[in-house]
């Protein structure tokens, strides 16, 4: 189980999208996509901090070009997603009548509600 990774800068609440790695023997700071695992001499950074990073004196900064991808979903999200996919792939089974107005977890956000069908508005 993982928790969402935060920017390692003091007091920064944003989610980390990049990893800063110090390559000491080359005096280079590398700002790259978020690393899968935290390692020594690496620091997770949010996008603003990754963009605004400046190297210490005498150091080079190698910065990942392009957009920083948001980190992959947490394990919890993946489990929920896998469950939703299984649910969608499951053959339609007769539902007990009390499910027609059951809790939201058994009702798709759009689509069928009882015998009514929600049609998204067209623009
Ligand atoms: Zn930050």
């Amino acid at each position: 189980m993982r928790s969402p990774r935060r920017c390692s800068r003091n007091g920064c609440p944003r989610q980390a999208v990049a990893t800063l790695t110090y390559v000491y023997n080359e005096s280079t700071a590398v700002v790259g996509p978020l690393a899968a695992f935290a390692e020594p001499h690496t620091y997770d950074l949010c996008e603003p901090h990754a963009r605004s990073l400046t190297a210490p004196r005498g150091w080079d900064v190698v910065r990942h070009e392009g957009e920083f991808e948001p980190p992959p979903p947490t394990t919890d999200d993946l489990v929920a997603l896998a469950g939703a996919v299984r649910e969608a792939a499951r053959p339609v089974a007769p539902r007990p009548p009390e499910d027609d107005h059951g809790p939201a977890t058994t009702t798709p956000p759009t689509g069928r509600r009882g015998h009514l069908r929600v049609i998204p508005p067209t623009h």
Side-chain angles (χ1 to χ4, degrees), residues 45-86:
L45 295 176
C46 64
E47 176 149 14
H49 276 132
R51 296 267 178 224
S52 65
L53 178 92
T54 55
R57 186 185 298 271
W59 283 59
D60 293 324
V61 176
V62 176
R63 209 182 299 267
H64 170 68
E65 296 294 334
E67 295 300 307
F68 287 107
E69 298 290 329
T74 65
T75 305
D76 283 350
D77 290 339
L78 286 176
V79 169
L81 182 63
V85 169
R86 272 198 302 272

Side-chain angles (χ1 to χ4, degrees), residues 6-13 20 22 43-45 49 52-54:
R6 293 270 183 80
C7 179
S8 61
R9 290 295 163 98
N10 259 353
C12 181
L20 167 64
Y22 286 116
Y43 302 88
D44 294 339
L45 295 176
H49 276 132
S52 65
L53 178 92
T54 55

Side-chain angles (χ1 to χ4, degrees), residues 110-123:
T110 60
R112 285 182 170 281
R113 291 184 190 277
H115 63 285
L116 299 177
R117 188 173 176 80
V118 177
I119 307 293
T122 54
H123 296 285

